[in-house]
Amino acid sequence: MRMAGTEETFVIRGGTALHGEIAIHGSKNAATKVLVATLLTAEPCVIDNVPFSDDVGITRELCERIGSSVVCGDDHSCTIATSEIRETSVLRLSRRNRIPILAMGPLLARRGEAEVPFLGGDPIGHRPIDFHLEALTRMGAVIERRAHSYFATTRRLTGADIRFPFPSVGATESVLLAAVLADGVTRIENAAMEPEVQNLIGMLTAMGARIAYEPAARYLEITGVTRLSGARHRVIPDRNEIVSFAIAALATGGDLVLRGAEAVPLAAFAEALDQMGGRITEEEGGLRVAPGGAWRSISVETAPHPGFMTDWQQPLAVLLTQARGTSILHETVYEDRLGYLKDLGRMGARVAVSDECPEGRPCRFASRTFNHTARITGPAALRGVATTITDIRAGMAHVIAALSAEGESVISGVSHIDRGYEKLDERLRALGANIRRIKHKTQ
Ligand code: EPU
């Protein structure tokens, strides 16, 4: 956890292969939503496998400001109880991450009023919240845009038929969190079906919500109930940690056992790795990754689940710099998520980005001017440089590149990585990495 008035930097000396075993923590993108779900009941809830990354800390602060008492143990279990909603305005958490908008449903359901700040999070595209606001409006919320916030009121939330233009994870979660206590039935078409969304559905169902869903059809049907109870729920393993650590090992020429990792939610990653010549195998209590020989170039397109996740393309790009030939990376979820490749270029990667979709693979960014396609030619020798990172997954790509590069890298902006990964440096060191965290005083 960062202290006020300090900034932190990683100093990494590359060239050591990572080996051994790592325990995978709970998913921050599931845990943060499950914590918000506990606001829907006055009864205590117990959440197991909560990762202690900074985004979870910000979400805990959000809940506490609203009125929750939260007690977390070293075993990563948290008990959270919100007997009373004391505060419906959470403005002071302005712009730190994207979770406050999700509190709108629970606050409207329990108090009929909510004020949330404009959202923060990673600079990876425009990231509007129009789907959230339109859906909640259809459900009976009256939402006013103020200078620094959205202020919403309702007499009673009611079920509605909603069709998203794109299967947004956050908007699907917003509607779920609003619909479980609404009057009547809410139907969502083109819903996001990420494992993290399904984990939230598991929590809400354990609390007494009535939710039916068909993942393959991207269809959700929620029948509102009048009250929800406390529940005990386990957060799923973090798919981003699994892929990040797996690629960190492979890019350094090592291999790794990922304790607690599950194969099914990683199918698209396993397929890409298999095409490149790597191996991911199940073993008791986890997964093992190992290189298969020389890396082969591939074409990858990011997509909503069950497709190849947009949060995986950054670590993968580092491995692609080591593959023979030209790989294509087509980002179709966020319009501006390839900026980090410029710094990989400074490290020696051969990378070209363009606003054109690969032939035969047009996406919703076709004929726009977003640089969302990358061609990466390898193998290229990487060398250490100084970089400043601006988002979680791009930050992880820089860490992996630095671990596999020759010489020393200095990575500033570590607070972005700490939002998504708990004690990343300590855990990498345990696998053999040469990584130090340096604290500097700021003005
Ligand atoms: N979108 C809209 N309008 C909306 C909502 C989304 O146009 O109202 C667009 C977005 O601009 C984007 C696309 O829909 O182009 C998908 O966005 P989505 O809503 O699915 O993303 P999110 O809920 O804001 C979560 C994760 C991201 C992850 C994406 C996709 C959290 C806190 N964040 O974001 O994780 O990349 O889903 O799976 O759960 C990360 O952890 O580093 C991260 C960025």
Side-chain angles (χ1 to χ4, degrees):
M1 189 79 67
R2 229 164 5 116
M3 282 155 51
T6 61
E7 234 172 52
E8 297 182 3
T9 298
F10 282 154
V11 178
I12 298 175
R13 180 157 287 281
T16 312
L18 304 191
H19 291 287
E21 284 194 15
I22 188 153
I24 295 303
H25 289 186
S27 156
K28 80 130 173 115
N29 287 347
T32 44
K33 324 310 172 48
V34 168
L35 286 176
V36 173
T38 67
L39 297 171
L40 288 159
T41 178
E43 294 180 14
C45 298
V46 180
I47 315 299
D48 298 313
N49 206 26
V50 177
F52 295 154
S53 57
D54 283 359
D55 255 2
V56 171
I58 295 169
T59 309
R60 174 181 176 163
E61 208 180 313
L62 170 92
C63 293
E64 286 172 338
R65 207 169 282 265
I66 287 170
S68 312
S69 83
V70 186
V71 180
C72 295
D74 291 342
D75 59 354
H76 287 82
S77 284
C78 295
T79 302
I80 174 161
T82 317
S83 55
E84 192 193 342
I85 303 278
R86 283 200 306 269
E87 181 63 81
T88 57
S89 170
V90 287
L91 282 192
R92 264 181 289 168
L93 292 163
S94 190
R95 291 193 180 280
R96 288 174 59 195
N97 72 10
R98 302 189 58 75
I99 303 302
I101 183 72
L102 298 178
M104 216 177 227
L107 291 174
L108 287 172
R110 277 183 76 183
R111 282 283 299 273
E113 185 180 291
E115 186 174 22
V116 303
F118 295 152
L119 298 185
D122 297 321
I124 54 182
H126 183 42
R127 301 191 84 180
I129 51 165
D130 51 335
F131 303 168
H132 302 241
L133 300 178
E134 278 166 31
L136 292 171
T137 304
R138 286 177 78 92
M139 297 179 73
V142 177
I143 304 175
E144 181 192 324
R145 191 187 158 104
R146 294 185 166 174
H148 303 289
S149 65
Y150 293 101
F151 179 70
T153 51
T154 187
R155 260 191 287 163
R156 185 97 185 96
L157 291 172
T158 49
D161 288 346
I162 290 154
R163 184 180 167 80
F164 290 126
F166 185 82
S168 154
V169 170
T172 302
E173 292 165 341
S174 253
V175 173
L176 274 165
L177 289 161
V180 284
L181 284 179
D183 276 342
V185 179
T186 299
R187 296 177 193 86
I188 314 179
E189 288 179 42
N190 208 22
M193 285 294 166
E194 268 62 8
E196 294 74 20
V197 176
Q198 296 192 37
N199 198 228
L200 173 63
I201 293 173
M203 169 65 180
L204 293 168
T205 305
M207 293 171 77
R210 290 178 56 199
I211 304 171
Y213 63 111
E214 294 171 38
R218 296 200 171 284
Y219 180 72
L220 269 166
E221 194 170 294
I222 306 126
T223 306
V225 296
T226 49
R227 68 177 288 281
L228 293 170
S229 59
R232 182 161 196 154
H233 180 73
R234 188 171 177 83
V235 174
I236 51 169
D238 194 313
R239 299 188 293 150
N240 290 321
E241 270 207 10
I242 296 168
V243 168
S244 302
F245 285 119
I247 293 183
L250 296 174
T252 57
D255 56 15
L256 201 59
V257 173
L258 304 141
R259 286 272 163 248
E262 290 162 6
V264 174
L266 294 171
F269 171 65
E271 194 186 322
L273 197 61
D274 182 58
Q275 285 171 13
M276 287 187 74
R279 275 176 294 129
I280 187 157
T281 46
E282 283 184 75
E283 59 171 60
E284 193 163 342
L287 297 174
R288 176 185 290 277
V289 284
W295 295 111
R296 295 188 289 268
S297 53
I298 56 167
S299 289
V300 188
E301 184 168 276
T302 64
H305 187 72
F308 190 94
M309 197 182 185
T310 167
D311 296 337
W312 297 339
Q313 52 97 344
Q314 307 80 344
L316 186 81
V318 181
L319 199 56
L320 294 178
T321 67
Q322 302 312 308
R324 184 163 300 282
T326 298
S327 296
I328 298 178
L329 214 165
H330 186 204
E331 169 60 59
T332 77
V333 178
Y334 289 107
E335 67 270 25
D336 186 18
R337 217 176 183 183
L338 297 180
Y340 70 96
L341 289 172
K342 205 167 155 202
D343 277 340
L344 286 195
R346 286 203 299 124
M347 296 180 80
R350 282 184 281 152
V351 180
V353 290
S354 115
D355 59 5
E356 282 175 22
C357 300
E359 209 167 311
R361 308 290 308 176
C363 72
R364 67 201 172 106
F365 305 142
S367 69
R368 310 286 298 271
T369 52
F370 305 132
N371 277 332
H372 69 291
T373 302
R375 287 181 171 73
I376 301 173
T377 304
L382 301 183
R383 56 182 181 275
V385 296
T387 42
T388 300
I389 57 177
T390 55
D391 86 69
I392 302 176
R393 310 300 164 199
M396 194 63 205
H398 288 308
V399 169
I400 297 171
L403 290 169
S404 55
E406 199 182 304
E408 190 172 271
S409 293
V410 179
I411 299 180
S412 311
V414 165
S415 59
H416 292 285
I417 293 191
D418 289 339
R419 278 186 36 225
Y421 300 87
E422 181 186 342
K423 297 183 180 161
L424 179 68
D425 43 332
E426 278 179 34
R427 294 161 79 203
L428 286 173
R429 258 197 310 277
L431 302 174
N434 185 339
I435 174 170
R436 284 179 296 136
R437 180 185 288 257
I438 313 253
K439 295 187 193 335
H440 314 266
K441 281 210 165 33
T442 50
Q443 302 297 340

